[in-house]
Amino acid sequence: MVGILIATYGDIGHSLLETAVDLVGEDPDAAETIALSDNQDRAEAWDSLVAAVESVDSGQGVLLMVDMFGSTSSTLALSLLADRNVEVLTGVNLAMVLRALLNRKETDLCTLSEDVLSYGRRNVTSSATWLSIGEHPKGNDR
């Protein structure tokens, strides 16, 4: 099973995972969050991130979702790519967390990462587009 780690500024990641767990109806193994801030000591933040990755990795790798590209969590997470079996996705949203939780048992890390990224993008949309008369964007398999 692919591990899931959500690294964000403040409690955003915790709220996303908590909500996803409520919707899924079970407490998932190997899924955690970590809060990192701009004013946190970089070495301390790095050590915390590495420890969190190791705690959720059962040997199948870790899908590491962060709040936004360029953030502290993002820059630290991207540094893990060189020597850890991780995939890093930026711009985490609730749809991505749900998709990852529901599909991580049946697939490998690379496939899961591509699927979660695609699903997350499809779920960022304009309500006006969905409510308008005419064709809706294809491929949104909710």
mmCIF file of all heavy atoms in Angstrom, residues 19-73:
data_model
loop_
_atom_site.group_PDB
_atom_site.id
_atom_site.type_symbol
_atom_site.label_atom_id
_atom_site.label_comp_id
_atom_site.label_asym_id
_atom_site.label_seq_id
_atom_site.Cartn_x
_atom_site.Cartn_y
_atom_site.Cartn_z
ATOM 1 N N THR A 19 -11.248 15.397 7.075
ATOM 2 C CA THR A 19 -12.492 15.423 6.303
ATOM 3 C C THR A 19 -12.588 14.200 5.394
ATOM 4 O O THR A 19 -13.637 13.553 5.309
ATOM 5 C CB THR A 19 -12.586 16.711 5.468
ATOM 6 O OG1 THR A 19 -12.517 17.836 6.353
ATOM 7 C CG2 THR A 19 -13.881 16.764 4.666
ATOM 8 N N ALA A 20 -11.498 13.866 4.724
ATOM 9 C CA ALA A 20 -11.492 12.699 3.837
ATOM 10 C C ALA A 20 -11.762 11.420 4.624
ATOM 11 O O ALA A 20 -12.531 10.561 4.180
ATOM 12 C CB ALA A 20 -10.163 12.604 3.099
ATOM 13 N N VAL A 21 -11.172 11.294 5.782
ATOM 14 C CA VAL A 21 -11.400 10.112 6.625
ATOM 15 C C VAL A 21 -12.865 10.041 7.042
ATOM 16 O O VAL A 21 -13.474 8.966 7.027
ATOM 17 C CB VAL A 21 -10.457 10.131 7.845
ATOM 18 C CG1 VAL A 21 -10.884 9.117 8.900
ATOM 19 C CG2 VAL A 21 -9.024 9.862 7.404
ATOM 20 N N ASP A 22 -13.460 11.173 7.389
ATOM 21 C CA ASP A 22 -14.886 11.201 7.735
ATOM 22 C C ASP A 22 -15.745 10.735 6.562
ATOM 23 O O ASP A 22 -16.704 9.981 6.744
ATOM 24 C CB ASP A 22 -15.330 12.610 8.146
ATOM 25 C CG ASP A 22 -14.875 12.996 9.537
ATOM 26 O OD1 ASP A 22 -14.428 12.122 10.300
ATOM 27 O OD2 ASP A 22 -14.955 14.204 9.855
ATOM 28 N N LEU A 23 -15.413 11.170 5.369
ATOM 29 C CA LEU A 23 -16.186 10.795 4.186
ATOM 30 C C LEU A 23 -15.996 9.332 3.794
ATOM 31 O O LEU A 23 -16.935 8.667 3.369
ATOM 32 C CB LEU A 23 -15.827 11.700 3.008
ATOM 33 C CG LEU A 23 -16.250 13.161 3.153
ATOM 34 C CD1 LEU A 23 -15.645 14.008 2.048
ATOM 35 C CD2 LEU A 23 -17.754 13.290 3.169
ATOM 36 N N VAL A 24 -14.780 8.828 3.942
ATOM 37 C CA VAL A 24 -14.474 7.442 3.596
ATOM 38 C C VAL A 24 -15.037 6.488 4.652
ATOM 39 O O VAL A 24 -15.435 5.377 4.342
ATOM 40 C CB VAL A 24 -12.948 7.250 3.424
ATOM 41 C CG1 VAL A 24 -12.564 5.794 3.305
ATOM 42 C CG2 VAL A 24 -12.460 8.017 2.214
ATOM 43 N N GLY A 25 -15.059 6.936 5.888
ATOM 44 C CA GLY A 25 -15.652 6.137 6.948
ATOM 45 C C GLY A 25 -14.713 5.199 7.665
ATOM 46 O O GLY A 25 -15.148 4.318 8.397
ATOM 47 N N GLU A 26 -13.433 5.360 7.465
ATOM 48 C CA GLU A 26 -12.470 4.532 8.189
ATOM 49 C C GLU A 26 -11.188 5.306 8.411
ATOM 50 O O GLU A 26 -10.865 6.218 7.666
ATOM 51 C CB GLU A 26 -12.173 3.237 7.432
ATOM 52 C CG GLU A 26 -11.536 3.465 6.073
ATOM 53 C CD GLU A 26 -11.310 2.173 5.306
ATOM 54 O OE1 GLU A 26 -12.308 1.521 4.974
ATOM 55 O OE2 GLU A 26 -10.142 1.847 5.055
ATOM 56 N N ASP A 27 -10.485 4.929 9.458
ATOM 57 C CA ASP A 27 -9.220 5.580 9.768
ATOM 58 C C ASP A 27 -8.117 4.872 8.995
ATOM 59 O O ASP A 27 -7.855 3.689 9.234
ATOM 60 C CB ASP A 27 -8.961 5.519 11.269
ATOM 61 C CG ASP A 27 -7.850 6.437 11.709
ATOM 62 O OD1 ASP A 27 -7.524 7.371 10.961
ATOM 63 O OD2 ASP A 27 -7.304 6.219 12.803
ATOM 64 N N PRO A 28 -7.491 5.535 8.054
ATOM 65 C CA PRO A 28 -6.516 4.856 7.202
ATOM 66 C C PRO A 28 -5.163 4.655 7.879
ATOM 67 O O PRO A 28 -4.702 5.502 8.640
ATOM 68 C CB PRO A 28 -6.384 5.804 6.016
ATOM 69 C CG PRO A 28 -6.609 7.149 6.615
ATOM 70 C CD PRO A 28 -7.654 6.929 7.699
ATOM 71 N N ASP A 29 -4.562 3.509 7.586
ATOM 72 C CA ASP A 29 -3.182 3.273 7.992
ATOM 73 C C ASP A 29 -2.272 4.014 7.033
ATOM 74 O O ASP A 29 -2.632 4.246 5.877
ATOM 75 C CB ASP A 29 -2.859 1.782 7.938
ATOM 76 C CG ASP A 29 -3.639 0.980 8.964
ATOM 77 O OD1 ASP A 29 -3.940 1.525 10.032
ATOM 78 O OD2 ASP A 29 -3.953 -0.187 8.673
ATOM 79 N N ALA A 30 -1.099 4.351 7.485
ATOM 80 C CA ALA A 30 -0.056 4.943 6.644
ATOM 81 C C ALA A 30 -0.510 6.204 5.921
ATOM 82 O O ALA A 30 -0.247 6.390 4.741
ATOM 83 C CB ALA A 30 0.483 3.911 5.652
ATOM 84 N N ALA A 31 -1.224 7.056 6.643
ATOM 85 C CA ALA A 31 -1.599 8.373 6.116
ATOM 86 C C ALA A 31 -1.453 9.377 7.248
ATOM 87 O O ALA A 31 -2.039 9.201 8.310
ATOM 88 C CB ALA A 31 -3.020 8.368 5.578
ATOM 89 N N GLU A 32 -0.658 10.404 7.001
ATOM 90 C CA GLU A 32 -0.388 11.403 8.037
ATOM 91 C C GLU A 32 -0.302 12.793 7.418
ATOM 92 O O GLU A 32 -0.236 12.938 6.203
ATOM 93 C CB GLU A 32 0.936 11.107 8.751
ATOM 94 C CG GLU A 32 0.941 9.869 9.595
ATOM 95 C CD GLU A 32 2.267 9.678 10.327
ATOM 96 O OE1 GLU A 32 3.076 10.627 10.394
ATOM 97 O OE2 GLU A 32 2.487 8.565 10.819
ATOM 98 N N THR A 33 -0.263 13.766 8.319
ATOM 99 C CA THR A 33 -0.044 15.147 7.892
ATOM 100 C C THR A 33 1.105 15.733 8.693
ATOM 101 O O THR A 33 1.427 15.254 9.788
ATOM 102 C CB THR A 33 -1.300 16.018 8.118
ATOM 103 O OG1 THR A 33 -1.565 16.111 9.514
ATOM 104 C CG2 THR A 33 -2.499 15.433 7.405
ATOM 105 N N ILE A 34 1.698 16.759 8.130
ATOM 106 C CA ILE A 34 2.732 17.501 8.833
ATOM 107 C C ILE A 34 2.553 18.977 8.503
ATOM 108 O O ILE A 34 2.286 19.334 7.351
ATOM 109 C CB ILE A 34 4.152 17.003 8.472
ATOM 110 C CG1 ILE A 34 5.206 17.733 9.290
ATOM 111 C CG2 ILE A 34 4.403 17.086 6.993
ATOM 112 C CD1 ILE A 34 6.603 17.145 9.149
ATOM 113 N N ALA A 35 2.654 19.814 9.512
ATOM 114 C CA ALA A 35 2.532 21.260 9.326
ATOM 115 C C ALA A 35 3.927 21.876 9.368
ATOM 116 O O ALA A 35 4.681 21.650 10.317
ATOM 117 C CB ALA A 35 1.668 21.861 10.423
ATOM 118 N N LEU A 36 4.252 22.614 8.315
ATOM 119 C CA LEU A 36 5.540 23.296 8.232
ATOM 120 C C LEU A 36 5.283 24.779 8.047
ATOM 121 O O LEU A 36 4.329 25.165 7.384
ATOM 122 C CB LEU A 36 6.357 22.757 7.059
ATOM 123 C CG LEU A 36 6.662 21.257 7.089
ATOM 124 C CD1 LEU A 36 7.278 20.809 5.772
ATOM 125 C CD2 LEU A 36 7.573 20.915 8.249
ATOM 126 N N SER A 37 6.156 25.603 8.613
ATOM 127 C CA SER A 37 5.958 27.044 8.468
ATOM 128 C C SER A 37 7.235 27.712 7.967
ATOM 129 O O SER A 37 8.326 27.145 8.054
ATOM 130 C CB SER A 37 5.531 27.665 9.800
ATOM 131 O OG SER A 37 6.585 27.596 10.741
ATOM 132 N N ASP A 38 7.077 28.918 7.454
ATOM 133 C CA ASP A 38 8.205 29.670 6.911
ATOM 134 C C ASP A 38 9.231 30.036 7.982
ATOM 135 O O ASP A 38 10.411 30.152 7.690
ATOM 136 C CB ASP A 38 7.719 30.955 6.238
ATOM 137 C CG ASP A 38 6.920 30.671 4.986
ATOM 138 O OD1 ASP A 38 7.087 29.577 4.412
ATOM 139 O OD2 ASP A 38 6.126 31.533 4.587
ATOM 140 N N ASN A 39 8.773 30.223 9.196
ATOM 141 C CA ASN A 39 9.698 30.650 10.252
ATOM 142 C C ASN A 39 10.288 29.481 11.038
ATOM 143 O O ASN A 39 11.042 29.678 11.974
ATOM 144 C CB ASN A 39 9.022 31.643 11.201
ATOM 145 C CG ASN A 39 7.797 31.061 11.878
ATOM 146 O OD1 ASN A 39 7.442 29.907 11.670
ATOM 147 N ND2 ASN A 39 7.135 31.873 12.685
ATOM 148 N N GLN A 40 9.978 28.273 10.644
ATOM 149 C CA GLN A 40 10.516 27.082 11.291
ATOM 150 C C GLN A 40 11.966 26.874 10.850
ATOM 151 O O GLN A 40 12.320 27.125 9.695
ATOM 152 C CB GLN A 40 9.668 25.877 10.891
ATOM 153 C CG GLN A 40 9.967 24.601 11.615
ATOM 154 C CD GLN A 40 8.963 23.507 11.250
ATOM 155 O OE1 GLN A 40 8.149 23.667 10.347
ATOM 156 N NE2 GLN A 40 9.029 22.401 11.947
ATOM 157 N N ASP A 41 12.811 26.441 11.751
ATOM 158 C CA ASP A 41 14.191 26.118 11.417
ATOM 159 C C ASP A 41 14.212 25.069 10.305
ATOM 160 O O ASP A 41 13.535 24.048 10.397
ATOM 161 C CB ASP A 41 14.908 25.591 12.669
ATOM 162 C CG ASP A 41 16.321 25.177 12.372
ATOM 163 O OD1 ASP A 41 17.160 26.065 12.142
ATOM 164 O OD2 ASP A 41 16.579 23.947 12.367
ATOM 165 N N ARG A 42 14.963 25.333 9.227
ATOM 166 C CA ARG A 42 14.962 24.437 8.058
ATOM 167 C C ARG A 42 15.436 23.031 8.406
ATOM 168 O O ARG A 42 14.899 22.047 7.912
ATOM 169 C CB ARG A 42 15.836 25.015 6.945
ATOM 170 C CG ARG A 42 15.371 26.332 6.390
ATOM 171 C CD ARG A 42 14.159 26.219 5.563
ATOM 172 N NE ARG A 42 14.457 25.791 4.208
ATOM 173 C CZ ARG A 42 13.566 25.793 3.241
ATOM 174 N NH1 ARG A 42 12.353 26.218 3.469
ATOM 175 N NH2 ARG A 42 13.875 25.378 2.041
ATOM 176 N N ALA A 43 16.457 22.932 9.230
ATOM 177 C CA ALA A 43 16.970 21.607 9.601
ATOM 178 C C ALA A 43 15.925 20.829 10.397
ATOM 179 O O ALA A 43 15.729 19.630 10.178
ATOM 180 C CB ALA A 43 18.258 21.742 10.399
ATOM 181 N N GLU A 44 15.240 21.511 11.280
ATOM 182 C CA GLU A 44 14.181 20.877 12.070
ATOM 183 C C GLU A 44 13.022 20.460 11.166
ATOM 184 O O GLU A 44 12.476 19.362 11.293
ATOM 185 C CB GLU A 44 13.678 21.860 13.136
ATOM 186 C CG GLU A 44 12.523 21.344 13.961
ATOM 187 C CD GLU A 44 11.968 22.415 14.880
ATOM 188 O OE1 GLU A 44 12.762 23.038 15.610
ATOM 189 O OE2 GLU A 44 10.734 22.617 14.864
ATOM 190 N N ALA A 45 12.643 21.328 10.238
ATOM 191 C CA ALA A 45 11.566 21.015 9.298
ATOM 192 C C ALA A 45 11.950 19.812 8.431
ATOM 193 O O ALA A 45 11.131 18.917 8.196
ATOM 194 C CB ALA A 45 11.251 22.234 8.430
ATOM 195 N N TRP A 46 13.195 19.783 7.961
ATOM 196 C CA TRP A 46 13.676 18.672 7.142
ATOM 197 C C TRP A 46 13.600 17.357 7.916
ATOM 198 O O TRP A 46 13.104 16.349 7.417
ATOM 199 C CB TRP A 46 15.097 18.939 6.668
ATOM 200 C CG TRP A 46 15.721 17.760 5.982
ATOM 201 C CD1 TRP A 46 16.651 16.913 6.494
ATOM 202 C CD2 TRP A 46 15.441 17.295 4.665
ATOM 203 N NE1 TRP A 46 16.962 15.944 5.574
ATOM 204 C CE2 TRP A 46 16.240 16.157 4.441
ATOM 205 C CE3 TRP A 46 14.592 17.717 3.642
ATOM 206 C CZ2 TRP A 46 16.219 15.435 3.248
ATOM 207 C CZ3 TRP A 46 14.564 17.004 2.454
ATOM 208 C CH2 TRP A 46 15.373 15.881 2.267
ATOM 209 N N ASP A 47 14.115 17.375 9.138
ATOM 210 C CA ASP A 47 14.104 16.165 9.969
ATOM 211 C C ASP A 47 12.679 15.680 10.215
ATOM 212 O O ASP A 47 12.408 14.475 10.172
ATOM 213 C CB ASP A 47 14.809 16.421 11.302
ATOM 214 C CG ASP A 47 16.312 16.603 11.148
ATOM 215 O OD1 ASP A 47 16.863 16.237 10.077
ATOM 216 O OD2 ASP A 47 16.941 17.125 12.093
ATOM 217 N N SER A 48 11.762 16.610 10.449
ATOM 218 C CA SER A 48 10.355 16.251 10.675
ATOM 219 C C SER A 48 9.737 15.644 9.426
ATOM 220 O O SER A 48 8.996 14.655 9.493
ATOM 221 C CB SER A 48 9.544 17.479 11.091
ATOM 222 O OG SER A 48 9.994 17.984 12.307
ATOM 223 N N LEU A 49 10.046 16.216 8.281
ATOM 224 C CA LEU A 49 9.499 15.713 7.023
ATOM 225 C C LEU A 49 10.038 14.312 6.713
ATOM 226 O O LEU A 49 9.282 13.411 6.349
ATOM 227 C CB LEU A 49 9.817 16.675 5.882
ATOM 228 C CG LEU A 49 9.227 16.312 4.525
ATOM 229 C CD1 LEU A 49 7.702 16.299 4.574
ATOM 230 C CD2 LEU A 49 9.715 17.278 3.456
ATOM 231 N N VAL A 50 11.329 14.109 6.877
ATOM 232 C CA VAL A 50 11.930 12.799 6.627
ATOM 233 C C VAL A 50 11.328 11.755 7.563
ATOM 234 O O VAL A 50 10.984 10.652 7.136
ATOM 235 C CB VAL A 50 13.469 12.863 6.762
ATOM 236 C CG1 VAL A 50 14.087 11.474 6.778
ATOM 237 C CG2 VAL A 50 14.065 13.695 5.638
ATOM 238 N N ALA A 51 11.182 12.103 8.835
ATOM 239 C CA ALA A 51 10.594 11.168 9.807
ATOM 240 C C ALA A 51 9.155 10.819 9.434
ATOM 241 O O ALA A 51 8.737 9.657 9.546
ATOM 242 C CB ALA A 51 10.652 11.766 11.211
ATOM 243 N N ALA A 52 8.399 11.799 8.965
ATOM 244 C CA ALA A 52 7.007 11.559 8.577
ATOM 245 C C ALA A 52 6.934 10.660 7.343
ATOM 246 O O ALA A 52 6.092 9.749 7.281
ATOM 247 C CB ALA A 52 6.292 12.885 8.314
ATOM 248 N N VAL A 53 7.812 10.874 6.377
ATOM 249 C CA VAL A 53 7.855 10.023 5.180
ATOM 250 C C VAL A 53 8.173 8.587 5.589
ATOM 251 O O VAL A 53 7.521 7.633 5.153
ATOM 252 C CB VAL A 53 8.876 10.547 4.146
ATOM 253 C CG1 VAL A 53 9.181 9.500 3.087
ATOM 254 C CG2 VAL A 53 8.364 11.825 3.506
ATOM 255 N N GLU A 54 9.164 8.427 6.433
ATOM 256 C CA GLU A 54 9.553 7.090 6.869
ATOM 257 C C GLU A 54 8.432 6.392 7.642
ATOM 258 O O GLU A 54 8.255 5.180 7.528
ATOM 259 C CB GLU A 54 10.825 7.154 7.709
ATOM 260 C CG GLU A 54 12.046 7.510 6.876
ATOM 261 C CD GLU A 54 13.300 7.731 7.684
ATOM 262 O OE1 GLU A 54 13.233 7.758 8.944
ATOM 263 O OE2 GLU A 54 14.370 7.875 7.060
ATOM 264 N N SER A 55 7.659 7.154 8.389
ATOM 265 C CA SER A 55 6.597 6.539 9.199
ATOM 266 C C SER A 55 5.426 6.030 8.372
ATOM 267 O O SER A 55 4.717 5.134 8.812
ATOM 268 C CB SER A 55 6.103 7.512 10.275
ATOM 269 O OG SER A 55 5.317 8.529 9.711
ATOM 270 N N VAL A 56 5.210 6.575 7.165
ATOM 271 C CA VAL A 56 4.091 6.119 6.330
ATOM 272 C C VAL A 56 4.530 5.199 5.187
ATOM 273 O O VAL A 56 3.684 4.649 4.490
ATOM 274 C CB VAL A 56 3.263 7.297 5.758
ATOM 275 C CG1 VAL A 56 2.638 8.106 6.877
ATOM 276 C CG2 VAL A 56 4.088 8.165 4.829
ATOM 277 N N ASP A 57 5.829 5.011 5.024
ATOM 278 C CA ASP A 57 6.325 4.179 3.917
ATOM 279 C C ASP A 57 6.397 2.718 4.345
ATOM 280 O O ASP A 57 7.204 2.339 5.176
ATOM 281 C CB ASP A 57 7.699 4.661 3.463
ATOM 282 C CG ASP A 57 8.148 4.003 2.168
ATOM 283 O OD1 ASP A 57 7.433 3.109 1.660
ATOM 284 O OD2 ASP A 57 9.218 4.382 1.667
ATOM 285 N N SER A 58 5.545 1.900 3.737
ATOM 286 C CA SER A 58 5.539 0.467 4.029
ATOM 287 C C SER A 58 6.322 -0.321 2.988
ATOM 288 O O SER A 58 6.212 -1.541 2.912
ATOM 289 C CB SER A 58 4.094 -0.036 4.106
ATOM 290 O OG SER A 58 3.457 0.130 2.850
ATOM 291 N N GLY A 59 7.091 0.380 2.155
ATOM 292 C CA GLY A 59 7.880 -0.268 1.132
ATOM 293 C C GLY A 59 7.365 -0.040 -0.280
ATOM 294 O O GLY A 59 8.037 -0.381 -1.250
ATOM 295 N N GLN A 60 6.172 0.554 -0.404
ATOM 296 C CA GLN A 60 5.587 0.820 -1.715
ATOM 297 C C GLN A 60 5.743 2.277 -2.130
ATOM 298 O O GLN A 60 5.224 2.686 -3.174
ATOM 299 C CB GLN A 60 4.094 0.458 -1.704
ATOM 300 C CG GLN A 60 3.823 -0.991 -1.363
ATOM 301 C CD GLN A 60 4.418 -1.934 -2.390
ATOM 302 O OE1 GLN A 60 4.274 -1.722 -3.584
ATOM 303 N NE2 GLN A 60 5.118 -2.951 -1.930
ATOM 304 N N GLY A 61 6.412 3.080 -1.323
ATOM 305 C CA GLY A 61 6.617 4.480 -1.622
ATOM 306 C C GLY A 61 5.580 5.369 -0.955
ATOM 307 O O GLY A 61 4.652 4.892 -0.300
ATOM 308 N N VAL A 62 5.760 6.663 -1.125
ATOM 309 C CA VAL A 62 4.910 7.650 -0.467
ATOM 310 C C VAL A 62 4.449 8.698 -1.476
ATOM 311 O O VAL A 62 5.263 9.266 -2.210
ATOM 312 C CB VAL A 62 5.660 8.348 0.691
ATOM 313 C CG1 VAL A 62 4.821 9.454 1.304
ATOM 314 C CG2 VAL A 62 6.075 7.330 1.750
ATOM 315 N N LEU A 63 3.149 8.938 -1.488
ATOM 316 C CA LEU A 63 2.581 10.050 -2.246
ATOM 317 C C LEU A 63 2.562 11.240 -1.303
ATOM 318 O O LEU A 63 1.851 11.235 -0.301
ATOM 319 C CB LEU A 63 1.175 9.723 -2.741
ATOM 320 C CG LEU A 63 0.505 10.821 -3.568
ATOM 321 C CD1 LEU A 63 1.315 11.138 -4.823
ATOM 322 C CD2 LEU A 63 -0.901 10.404 -3.947
ATOM 323 N N LEU A 64 3.365 12.227 -1.606
ATOM 324 C CA LEU A 64 3.530 13.402 -0.759
ATOM 325 C C LEU A 64 2.837 14.572 -1.435
ATOM 326 O O LEU A 64 3.261 15.031 -2.502
ATOM 327 C CB LEU A 64 5.017 13.674 -0.555
ATOM 328 C CG LEU A 64 5.474 14.869 0.246
ATOM 329 C CD1 LEU A 64 4.724 15.016 1.550
ATOM 330 C CD2 LEU A 64 6.954 14.772 0.515
ATOM 331 N N MET A 65 1.739 15.018 -0.844
ATOM 332 C CA MET A 65 0.968 16.128 -1.395
ATOM 333 C C MET A 65 1.206 17.365 -0.547
ATOM 334 O O MET A 65 1.125 17.310 0.681
ATOM 335 C CB MET A 65 -0.515 15.756 -1.442
ATOM 336 C CG MET A 65 -0.796 14.597 -2.376
ATOM 337 S SD MET A 65 -2.533 14.116 -2.451
ATOM 338 C CE MET A 65 -2.660 13.118 -0.970
ATOM 339 N N VAL A 66 1.520 18.476 -1.209
ATOM 340 C CA VAL A 66 1.827 19.725 -0.515
ATOM 341 C C VAL A 66 0.875 20.821 -0.955
ATOM 342 O O VAL A 66 0.197 20.711 -1.968
ATOM 343 C CB VAL A 66 3.295 20.155 -0.744
ATOM 344 C CG1 VAL A 66 4.251 19.074 -0.266
ATOM 345 C CG2 VAL A 66 3.558 20.493 -2.190
ATOM 346 N N ASP A 67 0.854 21.908 -0.189
ATOM 347 C CA ASP A 67 -0.107 22.979 -0.435
ATOM 348 C C ASP A 67 0.111 23.712 -1.746
ATOM 349 O O ASP A 67 -0.806 23.861 -2.534
ATOM 350 C CB ASP A 67 -0.160 23.959 0.736
ATOM 351 C CG ASP A 67 1.204 24.372 1.254
ATOM 352 O OD1 ASP A 67 2.220 24.150 0.560
ATOM 353 O OD2 ASP A 67 1.258 24.912 2.366
ATOM 354 N N MET A 68 1.320 24.190 -2.012
ATOM 355 C CA MET A 68 1.537 24.925 -3.265
ATOM 356 C C MET A 68 3.004 24.897 -3.652
ATOM 357 O O MET A 68 3.891 24.804 -2.806
ATOM 358 C CB MET A 68 1.032 26.356 -3.176
ATOM 359 C CG MET A 68 1.706 27.225 -2.145
ATOM 360 S SD MET A 68 0.964 28.847 -2.058
ATOM 361 C CE MET A 68 2.215 29.824 -2.859
ATOM 362 N N PHE A 69 3.226 24.963 -4.945
ATOM 363 C CA PHE A 69 4.594 24.969 -5.455
ATOM 364 C C PHE A 69 5.314 26.215 -4.951
ATOM 365 O O PHE A 69 4.771 27.317 -5.002
ATOM 366 C CB PHE A 69 4.592 24.948 -6.983
ATOM 367 C CG PHE A 69 5.962 24.809 -7.568
ATOM 368 C CD1 PHE A 69 6.556 23.569 -7.630
ATOM 369 C CD2 PHE A 69 6.650 25.915 -8.022
ATOM 370 C CE1 PHE A 69 7.833 23.423 -8.156
ATOM 371 C CE2 PHE A 69 7.922 25.790 -8.545
ATOM 372 C CZ PHE A 69 8.526 24.542 -8.610
ATOM 373 N N GLY A 70 6.519 26.030 -4.455
ATOM 374 C CA GLY A 70 7.323 27.144 -3.960
ATOM 375 C C GLY A 70 7.221 27.370 -2.464
ATOM 376 O O GLY A 70 8.000 28.139 -1.908
ATOM 377 N N SER A 71 6.277 26.710 -1.808
ATOM 378 C CA SER A 71 6.138 26.859 -0.360
ATOM 379 C C SER A 71 7.269 26.107 0.346
ATOM 380 O O SER A 71 8.007 25.332 -0.277
ATOM 381 C CB SER A 71 4.791 26.302 0.105
ATOM 382 O OG SER A 71 4.756 24.891 -0.093
ATOM 383 N N THR A 72 7.402 26.326 1.638
ATOM 384 C CA THR A 72 8.410 25.613 2.413
ATOM 385 C C THR A 72 8.220 24.110 2.288
ATOM 386 O O THR A 72 9.175 23.371 2.048
ATOM 387 C CB THR A 72 8.341 26.030 3.901
ATOM 388 O OG1 THR A 72 8.585 27.439 3.999
ATOM 389 C CG2 THR A 72 9.359 25.278 4.735
ATOM 390 N N SER A 73 6.988 23.650 2.427
ATOM 391 C CA SER A 73 6.735 22.211 2.321
ATOM 392 C C SER A 73 7.093 21.694 0.932
ATOM 393 O O SER A 73 7.632 20.588 0.785
ATOM 394 C CB SER A 73 5.283 21.894 2.673
ATOM 395 O OG SER A 73 4.389 22.653 1.906
#
